[in-house]
Amino acid sequence: EPEVTQTPSHQVTQMGQEVILRCVPISNHLYFYWYRQILGQKVEFLVSFYNNEISEKSEIFDDQFSVERPDGSNFTLKIRSTKLEDSAMYFCASTRGRPSIAGELFFGEGSRLTVL
Amino acid sequence: AQTVTQSQPEMSVQEAETVTLSCTYDTSESDYYLFWYKQPPSRQMILVIRQEAYKQQNATENRFSVNFQKAAKSFSLKISDSQLGDAAMYFCALTGTASKLTFGTGTRLQVTL
């Protein structure tokens, strides 16, 4: 069964360093997402991506964050200069269409980011 | 703005018993969709059940069913005949015409023998 895969599973970085989290969505999906979950808190929407551009982003997704789909298969989240508060589990998700139509988001297992 | 509230941080149920997880929500949209996602210890969230707001009939998937009260903006999940494999974090989520899901804070379900 196709699934969303994420790498790395865990990354430890120093404050101020750049981090790239990678995701391979399900191949025939068109909408891609990043969510994050700070330990013990709710899952928060960061950004959605469709047709090679950002379709929606949250207030969290500031200039320090960027996404791209460099080669038609990978979907990456870059944090330019990490802060302590960026420590969280980051989930990638994909779907064939809007969740209201496609029915569900398919999530990866997450990448845990620890900023020291 | 959309909000989803799960007021039960943790719940416990004995194997074979029934448990209900609560969820309330708020949205200004008339057309929206509600979901329950399960996040087992392996961390990958999977869809449990989905409800279209325009449908009056409550969704059911095997041992999982919902009680959708549109006027009260309530969307609870009932798990019947609970199994050890049901132990997980359960998230209620909402989407409207936008492409994103809005999640609640989750309820951790423990299943005991």
Side-chain angles (χ1 to χ4, degrees), chain B residues 47-98:
Chain B
L47 180 68
V48 175
I49 200 165
R50 175 179 186 258
Q51 174 82 42
E52 294 88 344
Y54 62 83
K55 289 187 177 179
Q56 292 186 335
Q57 187 172 6
N58 289 325
T60 300
E61 287 287 341
N62 301 313
R63 298 183 295 107
F64 298 87
S65 61
V66 299
N67 184 4
F68 175 46
Q69 301 289 326
K70 191 171 184 178
K73 295 185 176 177
S74 171
F75 182 62
S76 60
L77 175 69
K78 185 171 83 171
I79 306 173
S80 304
D81 186 26
S82 297
Q83 301 174 0
L84 293 177
D86 295 333
M89 185 73 101
Y90 287 82
F91 291 97
C92 180
L94 164 71
T95 190
T97 54

Side-chain angles (χ1 to χ4, degrees), chain A residues 33 35 48 98 100 103 105 107, chain B residues 35 37 44 50 97 99 101:
Chain A
Y33 304 83
Y35 283 80
S48 60
R98 289 176 180 271
S100 56
L105 265 62
F107 285 85
Chain B
F35 305 82
Y37 274 85
Q44 187 171 34
R50 175 179 186 258
T97 54
S99 60
L101 260 62

Side-chain angles (χ1 to χ4, degrees), chain A residues 4 6 23-25 33-35 75 90-94 106-108 110:
Chain A
V4 177
Q6 290 185 240
C23 170
V24 180
Y33 304 83
W34 283 102
Y35 283 80
F75 178 53
Y90 288 81
F91 292 101
C92 175
S94 70
F106 291 83
F107 285 85

